[in-house]
Structures are given as structure tokens and as C-alpha cells.
Amino acid sequence: MHFRLHGRLPAARRPARLRTLARRKLPLKYTDIDYLVFTDAAWFTFSSPSSSSSSSRFSGLLPQGSPYDRETYRYTPLLAYLLWPTTPAAAAWLPGPWVLWASWGKILFAAADLAAGWLLVAVLRRHRGLSGPRALQYVGAIWLLNPMVATISTRGSSEGLLGVLVAALLWAVHERRVVLAGFLLGLGVHFKIYPFIYAPAIVWWMDAERMGRGQRSSSSSSRSRNGGLLLAKLQRFVTPERVVLALVSLATFAALNVAMYALYGHDFLQHTFLHHVTRIDHRHNFSPYNVLLYLASAAQQQESTGAGGFKIESVAFVPQLLLSVVLIPLVGAKKDLAATMLAQTFAFVTFNKVCTSQYFLWYMVFLPLYLPNSSLTRRPRLGLAALGFWVAAQAAWLQQGYELEFLGRSTFAPGLWWASLAFFLVNCWILGLIISDLGISSSTVSISSTKPKRKN
Amino acid sequence: MRQRTTFFHRNEDAIDPASLQVSGRTLSGPSIKAVREDRFTLGLDELPAELQELLRLSQELYIRWASPVPYQAIGPWSSRLSPGLHVFYTPQADAKANVASDHELCLLLRRLGSVECSTPHKSFSRLPNDRFSHSTALEYYQPVYDLSNFVEYVVQYACAPSDAECKTRFDAVKQASSLDFSYDTISHVVKVTSLWGRQHQPLSISAPASHRVEVGLLTPNEPPHLEQHEIGVTGLLTVLGEDSKPAPTMFTFPSRHKQANTGFSSTFLTPTGLHPTMQLHIDSNQPPMEEDSYCALHALLTLPRTIFADKYQLEDTLFLASKNLTALQYISQPVDLEAPDYVMDIWGSSVLLELSTPVTESKEGFTAEIPLHLRYQSPQHGSESTFEVPYPAVFWACAAEEGTKFPSSPFDRINLGYDGLFGPRTLFWHLDPVAKSGSDQLVIGGKVPVLDLDKSRSINTVTSIVVVVGFAWVVYRLLMVYLRTGYGVAQPVKAAEKKQQ
């Protein structure tokens, strides 16, 4: 065959044929588009930029390329590294046919779900006074056998990794493993930004009494002095554990970012962090702001609708962060850390400017810790109503979204818009229930009674 | 200025040479069913000042327009482009010139119709530039389907206000099937070529005293030694003012573009939704050359920015095979996969796909389907906007024999957007676009759902109220908890109460 195209695709595009080899064995309809983005990115990362013949036997082990060569890869390069076995570069090192390794990522994400489940069981048993079988029942029913969780992970979404990171963080905090907790917090924030909301809750929870330091004498003595009340309070607040947590988490976060910036430069900053600041979010999603953002982004482009009027979307971060970073941790953290983290995440996702069903996994991981003692299970009718409304509002939205996306009907307003507002209000109501439960939580009792003894 | 006018007719449409009359600087005869091409070759000093200025800053500039009205092409003018205005451009390497020409080119283009181009830097896409490539650096496209603006511009410059005859002559350009403007620094001349498809053409041409006019009346001819990559013609040539009667001629020349003598049509499957599928109906699966040459059927899509192809989706070979596609061979860069229409400057994208033809003994029609995606468009009054896509160019690309050379032929076009993507020995066999029944245009499209401004007056207010209400409710619940239990651990009383349950 002597026919050649030489308006040839740039070097980075050539792997396409090879990559599809791997996909050939995958049931494509089931595979999430994101999984293709991750595996493509891993391919780019572990393929040498030039096909130099001098490359050593080990070249397939080194990340020589950049995951950001794959458009729409908006994650840390760590994720691409984790998917090394799905790349042809790994074929020489792994046993068995390489096409089987193409599903490695899905296995990894599903394993992460299992690991998260195991950690949740450990927290329930050791810190919430539940027996092993009971703990397993709850985690099994709410997390492991949750069809939403299983589907999202086996379709190849990486949210399962966040689930295990956050579960491990909660476990480490309960176990008073402060250094490990700091590391997990830094890693989590590097991975997906949002876990930073847990920092204030954990810090607030981690007071001297809880960490097994009797500081009663020093506090009473400082209280006697009049002028230094504030200073004394501050002194009591700054415990060694809190300092260690802050230092370790910041160091982890900074070290990872510096390393990635050194390797990938501005691409890393742009796609992993800055993209989330500049994105328009005009496409339809569950967020209450979504139709408004579509409207506003076009109006801003035309610059016709002047500067008049209050623009809620430009201050959307205020209610979101006020709730998830300040108010909920302040009121709840010392009462029930797991339920507080659930409420924080729920608030963060509910008030976010963009919201898709994958985000629901972020808070679902806490449900096995919260539901056993919640008003939603104590009053089954209430629980079923909450679930029913939550599902119904989503179903209404999905129906409108289907009409828009596949039938081409303009359902933006009022259909999609109303559905997203209804879903938002249902979420606020459920969030209110979770918060109310903080005030009557029984877990405080069980936590104090099952405090680990290893410090003594 | 020089003018070359060529009529190309089928053998059966021939007219009696005796009926042609040459008197002075005029040739006339009975009307003839033929394709007509007018080519004007101009020096830079014959152009409007602003155009001279622009060309001085350009290395290459090709502006090509193709009519949305289907036309029959015969003879050497078989190369096809998607209907609309295409610009292929290489600025001078000099950076200063770059900035200036940036401004000039778009100003000029805006005279040719409602062109949105702001600057080549922002609005043009980059063509692949490797060492084999002989294409220009930049490409632009705009769906301009009407040449009236252009004709008005030319008439203003070229015709005296009282010269009605001049205006009539240019008015004929409005009915042209294609119009080409070519310039490169090496030849340093401008060639303007207009083409009218096969139809009855009046045969009456006069040469103004100022310039040389050559008229050809040609018809296909197949001498025994004719190669597959050549076209043979025979006919009559007349140089007006010099020849007293037409002189017979016969010659052959190599041609990169030929006719496949089969057709195709294009449509969108319904409902289009936000992910329309373009369906191509190809009349024949048989390659135009014998079995020993390698041929592959290609479609070049010119997609205005409202609609785009996802190159990652078009990588999966199983998926492609199910759509009768073989591979995505080229897609212009960049193509933003997420941005809405209204924040983009770039014109759109072009996509070259290789189609897979079912192998059968006898000629058989088949369809190929190309998955595309719509961008969000600006909200407007009314719930639907529309999108339009010109027909693609569909052709067989075949490898010519080893050692075949394509020296510049008197009729060939180069820089069509796709020729630069193939090797120098490629032959293009073009399929004729056939408009779908019920339409007389080679443009297809559909509806894009948009946010209806009439239904969105309250969106800002109501969303704000709902968010504030939701926020207030959550804060109220927090406050209730705080007032009962403070920010510390929950009260033992509550815990005891709880234990009793």
C-alpha cells in the first residue's frame, strides 16, 4: 500500500489506534466518558514524546509525557500514575494479556470502595460502639451495596478514590493518628480541592480534652487572670495536635503541588486548580444556579445587560463556604465529627455552582456513620419521605434533561430550572434534618466511652 | 490584465464551428450547453489600494467561494468545496506585517458578506505545518451563500457609475457556481476565477481594448495513450483581436481532480437533540480506479463553530465501524469540547474522515453516520435557534502510479483545505453533491434548543430568593441546635433522653 496521508496527526495523537485496542474489550456503552479521559491521560503520561530508539528498558516505567495532553483532563497527575497498568508501556511488565489490564482502573476504583467500607466498619466498631456484624450490616446496606456507588465506580469514575481518602481521614482522626490525618488531608485537597472543608471541623474537634490531655489546671489558672482571657483562649486552642495537623497537611499539599508544578508547569495549575475558577458551567446540571449561569454567561459576553441588579451567582460561594467551612463545623464538630462532615459535604454540594450525580458520592460515604442514629431511621416515615423527595426531584430533572439533550426541546425554563430549584430545596430540608440530629446525637456518649486507650 | 474564458461541453452538446463568428474583438455564436470558466490574471497595480496593501503583507492568500446551489461540473473543474466562503492564508513571516495584515484581512472579508472574523490570530484555525505539507498556515470559513455584497464592492471599484454594461457583466457573477481569488508572492499575480456549472450559456464575448482575451471551446477527448491521471481535450481557441477565426486544438494534461461520476447526499437524523448525527448517502461503493490502485473514500466536513466533532469519540474503531467510518484522519485544532458558541472567536473546525465502503461484487449504495455535538447558543426570544452545516466534500483519494508527476496544469486548483493533507501523488475523484428532495440547496441543518428570554425574566430574582430561603432555613436549624446545646458536645441530658428510646 503506497498511499499515505501526510497531513499526519501530531505525534501525540498517534497512539489512538493502540488505545482503542484496549477499549475493544470494554463494554463501551457502560464505560464512563471520564474513564476514557483518565486512561488516555495515563497513555500520554507513559509514552515518550519522541520515539527515540535509545530509550531504555525502563522507559515505560517513567512518566515522560504529560497527562494534560489529553484535553479535558482536569485532575492531579497522580491519578494518571495510578492508571499506569492500563497503558501499553506497562504491557512488558505485567503478566497476562494487556487488554485485561485495561479495566485496571475500574478494579482500583471498586477496590477503593471496598477499602472505604472496611474503614467505615472500623470507625463504627471502635468509635461508635456498634458490634461487628451490625457495623457490617450498615456499611453493606448503605455503602457497599448501594447501586449508585457501585455503578459510578465500575463505570470508571474516580470518585471512589476520594471516598477512601475521606474515610481514611475520618478513621485516622478518630484513632488520634494526627500525622496520618494531616497527610491524608493534604493529599485529599491536592486530589480534589473540596476536602479542605474538613480541616476546620477536624481542628475544632481535636481539642485538648478529646486528645487525652488534661489541661484543666492550666485553663483555670489562666481564666483567673482578667486581661489575658483572649490570649489564654488562644493558647488553649493551639494544641500540639492542631499544630502538627496543620503543618503536616500544609506540607503534604505544598510538596505535591510543587512537585507537580516542577514536572508539568502551568498546565498542572491551569487544569487542576485554575480551571475551576474560570469555568463557565453553562451546561445543564443539578445546581440551582445552572440556568442562571447559562443566562448570565451569555449576557456577560454581549455586555448588553449593564451592571445593574444584584447577581447572586457572583456571590454563590458565600452561603456555600459560610455553611460548609464555618457554621456547620463550629456548631457540630465537637458533637459528632462524622455527621458534621456529612452536613458540610451536603451543604458544599447543594450550594455548589455545578453539581452532577458523581458529587453525591462525596457525601454518601458518610451515610453509614450517620444513618444508624439518625432521625431518618428512627422515624422511618420521615426517612422514606426524604429519600422519596430526593429521588423524585432528581427524576423530574432527568426527564427534563432527556427532553433537552436527546429530543432537542428547550426545557431550560421553566422545566429544568424548576426541577433544579426543587431539588435544591429538598436538599436544604434534608440538610436541616441532619443538622437537627447533631443536637440530639447519642454518638457523643458512645465516642467518649470508646475512646482508645493507647494514649494512656 | 489577461482574460481566459473557457466553455467546456459534452460531445453531444457540440455546436457547428461554422456558426461561430469572429469580428474584430468580438466572438459570437449560438448559445451552448456548457460549463463556463472566466479567469482574470491581474498585476498588483491593477487592484484597489487596500487590497494591494493587504497582499504586500501576505505570503499566500486564497479566497474561495462555492455556491450552495448544486451544479453539474464537467471537464477539469471537478474539484469541490463545501458551499460557503473559505479563506486559506499565510501571512508574511515578518511579525510587524503580521499585526497589520491581521487587521486588513478581516476588514476585507467583512465586505464579502456578514463575516464575523475579528483577526486571523483569533478567528482562523491553524493548518498542519510539517515538512511535507504544502498548504497555507491558516484557514477560515464562513457560511456566506450569496455574492451580492462582493459584486457591489467590485462594481464600485471597477465600473464607472454610468457604465451599465459593466454592471451587467459583473451581475452575472451573482449566479456563479464558484469564485476563486488566488495570490502568492512567488507568482506575484492575482488570479480571479469564476465558474458557472453546466447550463445553457450565451456565446458572446467582447474584449475591451485594454486587455487580452482568449476564448476556448473545449470538449473531452480520449486519445489512445491517455493515462488515468490525465484529461484529454479537443476544441477551438481564439485570441480576440488577433485571430480572425478559431484555431483547432487538441491536448492532454495531468489533473489531480477528476469526477467519480456518482453522487452523494447528506442529512441529519431526527430528532437532532444536542447531539446530531450527520448521515451521508453514497450512491456507489465501487472505487473509481481498477483494483490494483489503492483508493479510500473520504469526507471533508466544514463545521461552523456551533457544531463540532469529538476526536476522542471518533477514535474507537468498533464504534467507527458501526457507523461505516474507518478513521478520523484529520481535525483542525483547536476544537474546544466544552465552550458555548457565544464565547468563541474561532470560525469552527474542519474534519477529514475516511469512510469504510462495504465490499460487494456489484455497485451498491450505502450510508455512513457521523456523530456531532452542538454547542450551547446565546439565549434569545423564542425557544429555538437554528444551525446550518454546508454539505461536506466527498471524494475518493487514490494513489497515482509510482513516478507520476503533477506539474501545474492550466486548470487545476491547489489549496482546497484537503489536498495538502494528502501526498503529492494523490488523485481525487469527486462525488457530485445531490440536494435532498424538497431542498434546492447544499446546506443542511436543524434546530438548537436555547433558553427562551421571554421565559427567563424572573430567573435571576427567583433563583436568588430560593437560594436565600434555602440558606436561611439551614442557618435557622443550625441556630436552633446552637441555642440548645452551644458549640460544645451535646448535652448529657439529650444523650440520656436518647438512651431511653
Side-chain angles (χ1 to χ4, degrees):
Chain A
M1 181 159 90
H2 50 278
F3 170 79
R4 291 208 74 77
L5 263 175
H6 48 57
R8 204 173 261 272
L9 316 161
R13 280 250 321 131
R14 260 175 242 156
R17 293 291 166 81
L18 271 170
R19 271 181 285 150
T20 50
L21 257 183
R23 280 179 207 165
R24 187 166 285 196
K25 298 283 184 218
L26 299 176
L28 187 79
K29 287 280 150 56
Y30 186 68
T31 299
D32 196 282
I33 182 84
D34 285 348
Y35 189 67
L36 304 181
V37 176
F38 309 148
T39 48
D40 279 357
W43 207 105
F44 283 118
T45 309
F46 291 100
S47 59
S48 47
S50 60
S51 51
S52 56
S53 53
S54 64
S55 61
S56 80
R57 205 169 92 77
F58 296 95
S59 61
L61 289 177
L62 299 172
Q64 293 169 311
S66 164
Y68 301 109
D69 285 344
R70 173 55 162 94
E71 283 170 52
T72 72
Y73 184 79
R74 305 273 155 66
Y75 312 87
T76 165
L78 292 180
L79 181 58
Y81 296 174
L82 284 175
L83 296 179
W84 171 76
T86 65
T87 67
W93 299 85
L94 298 172
W98 168 58
V99 283
L100 295 181
W101 286 98
S103 292
W104 159 255
K106 296 178 172 193
I107 298 167
L108 182 75
F109 302 149
D113 287 345
L114 289 177
W118 183 80
L119 288 161
L120 294 176
V121 169
V123 172
L124 276 172
R125 280 182 55 206
R126 288 173 54 80
H127 305 285
R128 302 222 149 200
L130 250 64
S131 68
R134 288 272 290 155
L136 202 60
Q137 258 179 11
Y138 275 115
V139 174
I142 302 164
W143 177 252
L144 292 178
L145 298 181
N146 187 328
M148 205 155 169
V149 176
T151 313
I152 289 179
S153 282
T154 53
R155 284 186 68 209
S157 170
S158 68
E159 307 302 337
L161 291 180
L162 259 298
V164 72
L165 273 181
V166 169
L169 173 65
L170 188 68
W171 174 84
V173 171
H174 275 117
E175 292 285 327
R176 275 72 169 172
R177 299 195 176 188
V178 178
V179 174
L180 180 63
F183 169 76
L184 290 168
L185 183 60
L187 179 63
V189 179
H190 168 78
F191 228 90
K192 205 103 202 197
I193 308 177
Y194 87 89
F196 80 92
I197 60 173
Y198 304 134
I202 294 169
V203 166
W204 189 231
W205 178 89
M206 230 178 223
D207 51 33
E209 282 173 50
R210 183 111 44 186
M211 299 311 283
R213 285 173 193 272
Q215 285 192 328
R216 188 149 294 185
S217 58
S218 67
S219 65
S220 60
S221 69
S222 60
R223 206 171 276 164
S224 62
R225 265 178 271 147
N226 256 341
L229 187 62
L230 194 70
L231 190 69
K233 272 195 168 174
L234 196 68
Q235 255 176 357
R236 262 188 303 144
F237 179 79
V238 183
T239 62
E241 288 86 5
R242 284 171 169 155
V243 172
V244 169
L245 183 84
L247 288 180
V248 173
S249 59
L250 282 176
T252 309
F253 181 65
L256 285 169
N257 289 343
V258 167
M260 294 307 160
Y261 186 77
L263 282 169
Y264 305 105
H266 183 72
D267 276 354
F268 160 69
L269 275 188
Q270 176 60 44
H271 295 293
T272 313
F273 297 124
L274 299 181
H275 166 74
H276 298 286
V277 181
T278 56
R279 58 193 287 180
I280 308 175
D281 294 326
H282 65 287
R283 282 177 181 272
H284 55 289
N285 63 74
F286 289 121
S287 168
Y289 298 106
N290 91 88
V291 180
L292 178 59
L293 284 172
Y294 169 30
L295 184 67
S297 67
Q300 193 185 10
Q301 205 60 28
Q302 291 157 353
E303 288 166 338
S304 56
T305 47
F310 171 67
K311 296 204 174 81
I312 185 110
E313 72 275 8
S314 54
V315 292
F317 65 93
V318 174
Q320 182 189 26
L321 295 186
L322 206 57
L323 285 178
S324 61
V325 179
V326 182
L327 298 178
I328 295 174
L330 183 73
V331 174
K334 287 181 193 263
K335 299 184 174 70
D336 181 344
L337 184 58
T340 299
M341 284 164 77
L342 167 67
Q344 285 180 283
T345 321
F346 209 96
F348 190 88
V349 172
T350 301
F351 285 84
N352 203 16
K353 276 162 78 168
V354 58
C355 177
T356 66
S357 53
Q358 291 174 14
Y359 291 23
F360 303 156
L361 242 63
W362 295 359
Y363 55 74
M364 279 188 182
V365 71
F366 296 110
L367 287 182
L369 303 177
Y370 161 73
L371 283 180
N373 293 316
S374 71
S375 55
L376 297 180
T377 39
R378 274 186 282 113
R379 294 160 59 193
R381 273 197 188 167
L382 182 69
L384 284 176
L387 182 66
F389 283 132
W390 190 76
V391 170
Q394 264 184 79
W397 187 97
L398 287 170
Q399 195 274 333
Q400 295 293 302
Y402 170 80
E403 292 217 347
L404 169 68
E405 186 124 21
F406 296 99
L407 305 182
R409 298 206 183 110
S410 172
T411 55
F412 293 109
L416 267 180
W417 177 50
W418 283 357
S420 66
L421 290 184
F423 186 55
F424 169 79
L425 288 175
V426 167
N427 277 325
C428 285
W429 173 63
I430 296 176
L431 182 58
L433 292 176
I434 298 170
I435 286 169
S436 296
D437 280 352
L438 283 171
I440 53 165
S441 175
S442 66
S443 59
T444 47
V445 179
S446 43
I447 279 183
S448 52
S449 63
T450 57
K451 189 184 285 181
K453 300 284 180 274
R454 67 192 184 90
K455 285 267 177 183
N456 301 359
Chain B
M1 192 202 294
R2 281 182 290 135
Q3 180 185 346
R4 185 189 77 191
T5 296
T6 312
F7 293 91
F8 200 90
H9 60 85
R10 290 189 179 156
N11 293 333
E12 67 263 29
D13 295 325
I15 50 166
D16 180 8
S19 61
L20 291 177
Q21 289 178 343
V22 180
S23 59
R25 298 181 70 82
T26 301
L27 176 130
S28 58
S31 77
I32 182 169
K33 192 169 189 186
V35 173
R36 171 175 171 163
E37 184 214 50
D38 280 3
R39 169 171 290 186
F40 298 88
T41 309
L42 301 119
L44 282 187
D45 52 345
E46 293 173 281
L47 298 169
E50 54 179 352
L51 193 53
Q52 288 186 39
E53 186 65 22
L54 170 67
L55 294 181
R56 255 193 283 279
L57 302 170
S58 314
Q59 197 178 321
E60 294 170 286
L61 178 61
Y62 302 90
I63 303 176
R64 305 190 185 282
W65 179 84
S67 167
V69 181
Y71 66 93
Q72 246 189 335
I74 53 172
W77 303 293
S78 38
S79 60
R80 296 277 189 170
L81 278 173
S82 289
L85 182 74
H86 302 255
V87 181
F88 303 98
Y89 172 58
T90 310
Q92 286 284 18
D94 177 15
K96 253 188 199 165
N98 243 327
V99 177
S101 66
D102 259 11
H103 192 60
E104 300 282 330
L105 179 54
C106 284
L107 271 184
L108 179 82
L109 290 178
R110 274 186 237 138
R111 303 219 164 154
L112 305 185
S114 61
V115 172
E116 287 165 19
C117 161
S118 58
T119 69
H121 181 70
K122 281 185 178 170
S123 306
F124 284 43
S125 58
R126 260 146 263 278
L127 284 163
N129 189 15
D130 57 35
R131 64 201 165 94
F132 299 112
S133 175
H134 45 80
S135 57
T136 56
L138 303 169
E139 179 185 5
Y140 182 79
Y141 169 83
Q142 181 83 30
V144 173
Y145 297 137
D146 177 8
L147 283 180
S148 339
N149 283 4
F150 167 74
V151 169
E152 259 168 51
Y153 172 66
V154 175
V155 164
Q156 244 176 24
Y157 172 75
C159 301
S162 55
D163 191 349
E165 196 268 335
C166 175
K167 273 182 197 160
T168 322
R169 199 140 40 89
F170 281 110
D171 265 349
V173 175
K174 288 183 188 169
Q175 265 70 53
S177 301
S178 86
L179 184 73
D180 279 14
F181 171 100
S182 321
Y183 169 82
D184 64 76
T185 30
I186 298 165
S187 65
H188 225 67
V189 291
V190 166
K191 286 178 187 156
V192 180
T193 311
S194 50
L195 185 82
W196 291 264
R198 180 170 174 261
Q199 57 185 301
H200 284 285
Q201 314 263 8
L203 194 55
S204 166
I205 292 156
S206 310
S210 57
H211 65 268
R212 180 191 144 99
V213 178
E214 185 184 18
V215 181
L217 259 162
L218 303 174
T219 190
N221 176 41
E222 285 196 22
H225 58 271
L226 192 72
E227 303 263 3
Q228 260 200 315
H229 66 277
E230 290 179 323
I231 288 180
V233 297
T234 180
L236 303 166
L237 291 183
T238 317
V239 178
L240 299 186
E242 288 177 20
D243 301 340
S244 55
K245 63 182 173 77
T249 182
M250 179 174 12
F251 59 98
T252 62
F253 55 91
S255 178
R256 268 158 71 83
H257 300 279
K258 304 197 77 169
Q259 273 184 282
N261 290 323
T262 174
F264 78 95
S265 64
S266 177
T267 182
F268 278 110
L269 298 180
T270 51
T272 48
L274 289 177
H275 308 279
T277 299
M278 183 192 276
Q279 191 176 50
L280 298 177
H281 305 255
I282 314 286
D283 290 347
S284 165
N285 61 340
Q286 300 297 321
M289 292 174 81
E290 295 93 74
E291 279 164 29
D292 56 334
S293 15
Y294 178 80
C295 288
L297 188 61
H298 287 79
L300 181 85
L301 276 60
T302 305
L303 301 174
R305 64 166 169 259
T306 315
I307 191 166
F308 65 98
D310 178 353
K311 64 178 179 182
Y312 300 105
Q313 186 186 20
L314 295 173
E315 269 176 6
D316 182 72
T317 42
L318 265 193
F319 175 75
L320 287 174
S322 73
K323 308 277 179 197
N324 269 338
L325 305 173
T326 303
L328 171 70
Q329 298 291 20
Y330 165 74
I331 183 163
S332 62
Q333 291 294 323
V335 181
D336 195 310
L337 300 175
E338 294 161 325
D341 179 75
Y342 46 85
V343 301
M344 297 181 74
D345 288 317
I346 198 163
W347 68 269
S349 56
S350 48
V351 176
L352 179 68
L353 281 159
E354 187 180 330
L355 311 186
S356 69
T357 43
V359 180
T360 54
E361 280 296 308
S362 57
K363 174 181 152 172
E364 208 171 79
F366 70 100
T367 60
E369 283 167 12
I370 304 159
L372 299 170
H373 309 275
L374 287 173
R375 294 183 193 283
Y376 272 47
Q377 292 194 0
S378 277
Q380 59 173 42
H381 297 284
S383 62
E384 273 165 351
S385 180
T386 55
F387 69 96
E388 278 193 338
V389 181
Y391 260 46
V394 178
F395 51 85
W396 289 90
C398 298
E401 270 173 53
E402 208 68 59
T404 311
K405 289 271 189 321
F406 289 102
S408 63
S409 108
F411 301 106
D412 246 8
R413 298 202 285 181
I414 54 160
N415 273 306
L416 297 160
Y418 51 85
D419 49 350
L421 302 174
F422 292 86
R425 281 189 293 103
T426 309
L427 270 177
F428 300 96
W429 299 79
H430 294 270
L431 277 67
D432 297 320
V434 179
K436 289 297 276 187
S437 55
S439 164
D440 56 351
Q441 302 243 314
L442 300 175
V443 178
I444 52 172
K447 295 189 166 102
V448 189
V450 295
L451 175 57
D452 187 347
L453 284 175
D454 299 328
K455 291 179 187 162
S456 41
R457 285 198 195 91
S458 57
I459 283 181
N460 197 357
T461 324
V462 175
T463 306
S464 305
I465 291 170
V466 168
V467 169
V468 168
V469 165
F471 177 68
W473 172 252
V474 177
V475 171
Y476 164 75
R477 293 301 234 173
L478 275 167
L479 194 67
M480 294 307 286
V481 173
Y482 177 77
L483 289 178
R484 249 184 309 148
T485 62
Y487 57 73
V489 292
Q491 243 114 94
V493 192
K494 298 285 173 193
E497 208 175 78
K498 176 73 195 50
K499 265 184 180 172
Q500 288 168 357
Q501 287 187 350

